[in-house]
Structure formats: C-alpha cells, structure tokens
Amino acid sequence: GVARETGLKSLAARGFGSAALGMATQSLARLLSRRWGGQWGGSGPWFPRAAAGAVASAGALCAAGPAARCSRDDGHGHGHVHQHSGDGHAHSSMPDKFSHEHVGTDRSHLVFGVPKKGRLYEQIKKMLEGAGIDYTRKERIDIAHCNNLPISIVFLPAKDIATYVGEGDVDLGITGEDCVAESDVSVKVLMALGIGKCNLSVQAPKDSGLNAASLAGKRIVTSFPVITQKYFAELEKPGNPTHIKCISGSVEAACGLGLADGIVDLVETGTTMRAAGLEEVSVVMKSQAVLIMNPHSKHPELCEVIRRRLAGYLTAQRWVMVSYNVHRDHLKKAESITPGKRSPSVQPLEDKNWVAVAALVPKSEAASIMDELENVGAKDILLTSLLSSRMGD
C-alpha cells in the first residue's frame, strides 16, 4: 500500500490526471495478481519493491496514451514541422503511407517498449539508430517519439516488457527470452537479435557435490520464480516440494549468507558466480534479446517494417564489402576467394587486361581474405563497412 501510494503520487506530481492514475492502478493490479497471486500469495519482502516497480512501469505507459497523439502545437517536443490536411497530419520526414489521423482517444502511433537502462539499452539504442529509427530521449522522461515513423518508444524495466506486450497496449518490445518465459504471456517472437546472450542456470556452492536433481526439494533463491518452479517441478519427489524464494537482486549472495542451498540466476561471463564461490550445475535455458510483438497489434505492417530494418542492420554488421583490381589471368583464383553472397561484381577497366571486382565477405574473415587476395596478385584492395542492408532477411 505504501509503495502504491508513493508511486501514484509520483505520477500525479509529473502531471498525470486521474484517468492515467486509474490506468496505472489497473495495470498494477493485473500484473501483481498474475505474478504473485495463487501459489506465491501477496506477501514477501519483494512485494513492496515489485509494487513500486509496476506502478513506475504503468506510469510510462500512461504517458504513451495522450503523449503518443501528436498535437498541432508540437506535443512531440522535437520542434519538427507537421503538415496538416483536415484531421490528419504527417511529419515532414515521414513516408506518406504512414500519415495518420487522431480521432478521440484513438492511438495512431505504434508503441515500442525497450529496456530503460543498462548495457542492453545501450546496445538497443545503437541498433535503433542503425535501423533509421530517429528519436530524441529527454532526460528523466520515459517516452520518446520518432521523427520519421509513427512510433512512440516507452522505456520500461526489461522484466516488465513482455507483460506489457502480451497483456497491454504495447505493440512491440525488445527484452530477453528469459523475461518472456518468466512473464508467462502469449507474444509473437519476430526475431532473435544476437545480443544479451547468457544462460539461466542452476548454481550451487563450488565443490559441494550438489546437482540440479539433489537440489530439488531444498531451498532455492532466484529472481525467476515462474521458470524455477516449472524446472524443479519435474525433478521433485512426491511430498517434497522445492522451497523457492524470490529476491530482486544480489541472488549470488544467498548461499553464502545461509538463505539458500542453491540459486537460479543468469550467467554471462561467470565472473560474479565464481567470485561468490558458486559453480554452474545445470542450464535451465539459454537466453538472448528478442523482438516480440503483441498478437493483437493494430499496426502489423509497421511492425514488419521495423523487423526488416532491424534485420537489415544486423545483417550489415556481419558483412563488409571488399573491392580490388586484378589481372584477368588471376580472376578465377580471386573469385574463388571472394564468391560473394550470390556472385562477385566484375567490371572491365580501361586497361583491358585488368578488371575491378567487388564482393561481400564475412566481416570475421575479412583480414584473412585480404591476405589471400594479395597473394594471388590482386591490387588496390579496399574494405568498406556497411551501414545497413536488405538481403532478404
């Protein structure tokens, strides 16, 4: 109750009206009743923190309602020009097919949830920039509007994004596969992003001789109670349930402080795990960041545009363009080194004995390929990075 009241006062102080506060309350109730209802009950040391976090997340989405509706007085706060025709309008840099109207409370912008902070946020920020999704995030504001597409980006805790995409009004989201599984909601996974890779693992004190099966029925501490319960349910003996306690952070300290016999936590490099005197005894699931979609989104076409842009950017990061001049006598050897995605591009030069060749090569192999080209007589070898691409991804 204290956390809820504090969270709602915070929203009110930032200018949200009673309707917005009501939305926040409903969102909070729905999230908590699903996450901690039933077998977990409504108590525990994590409950006030969870309540406060849910209210804060709901607050960001409340902002997405009225703020996501562009206004004639430039409610976006970017100072860019709007072109009006009747009730519709278009940003000066927005494709015509995405021009849109705002009628009553209808939300014409796609809402895109991304992690609000941390290393994953920094990686996603770079990815969105590479995909041509142009926005400006103002300090301490958890919503931003795109200048060139009808998209409102809301910055949310990574663990809550799947819930908002699956059960709320968020159309797209980027979060970890572990968070999707923990949220236990129905979302459409559009693509894996290849970042934020880690294992969700069962860990036990080093040299304890414990394994996942022997930890079943004992005390387990985790930040992933839904996944953990499902995992250990298959290992438990009848009448001896696993005692799962949920804490929000520093899970690795639980064994050393006598709170747990084992933990379930994320492992990326293993440095934190080893520093706490723990070892990985079983992998519950592998995880990476994924692009997820609300199955009932009203913006399927725009969701696909964003997916293709992100896929094009990610593909461009794996390839580079190599170009070089080579004598015709050595062309076949050079082509075998640089076959390209389909085939190399070969252009004649003014000197009829020489040709110019350009081909895509894997970025990880580029240096070795340049060495091989030089060995077969290629000259003027250049390597060019790609900003983005469309290669049928």
Side-chain angles (χ1 to χ4, degrees), residues 11 16 24 54-64 164:
L11 292 178
F16 296 107
V55 170
S57 299
L61 279 190
C62 290
Y164 280 117

Side-chain angles (χ1 to χ4, degrees), residues 24 38 83 104 161 176 208 219 224 233 255 292 310 324 326 345 355 377 382:
Q83 300 166 345
I161 289 174
S208 63
R219 301 172 303 160
F224 298 88
C255 292
I292 58 175
L310 291 172
Y324 55 91
V326 67
S345 299
V355 293
L382 301 176

Side-chain angles (χ1 to χ4, degrees), residues 323-389:
S323 58
Y324 55 91
N325 298 328
V326 67
H327 196 281
R328 288 185 182 273
D329 292 345
H330 305 304
L331 178 57
K332 291 299 182 183
K333 289 182 180 179
E335 284 183 320
S336 67
I337 297 169
T338 58
K341 288 273 286 185
R342 289 186 175 84
S343 69
S345 299
V346 181
Q347 299 291 333
L349 296 176
E350 191 168 325
D351 184 338
K352 295 182 180 180
N353 293 320
W354 286 74
V355 293
V357 182
L360 287 171
V361 299
K363 190 174 184 178
S364 60
E365 303 172 19
S368 297
I369 288 172
M370 293 178 76
D371 293 336
E372 292 182 53
L373 287 172
E374 192 171 29
N375 290 336
V376 299
K379 304 294 182 183
D380 313 314
I381 306 169
L382 301 176
L383 202 61
T384 306
S385 62
L386 308 178
L387 294 178
S388 192
S389 68

Side-chain angles (χ1 to χ4, degrees), residues 34-35 39-40 159 162 176-185 198-202 220-236 242 244-246 263-266 282-287:
R34 184 188 62 77
R35 181 68 62 85
Q39 66 267 38
W40 283 293
K159 277 200 168 186
E177 290 175 298
D178 54 307
C179 296
V180 175
E182 179 65 21
S183 297
D184 202 21
V185 294
C198 57
N199 293 339
L200 182 62
S201 301
V202 180
I220 302 295
V221 164
T222 184
S223 296
F224 298 88
V226 174
I227 298 173
T228 301
Q229 187 192 49
K230 289 180 179 179
Y231 179 80
F232 279 103
E234 299 179 359
L235 303 174
E236 293 168 357
T242 305
I244 299 170
K245 185 176 289 292
C246 179
I263 67 170
V264 173
D265 201 15
L266 295 173
S282 179
V283 176
V284 177
M285 67 176 291
K286 292 184 176 294
S287 178

Side-chain angles (χ1 to χ4, degrees), residues 160-171:
D160 294 341
I161 289 174
T163 300
Y164 280 117
V165 172
E167 298 183 351
D169 292 330
V170 177
D171 300 282

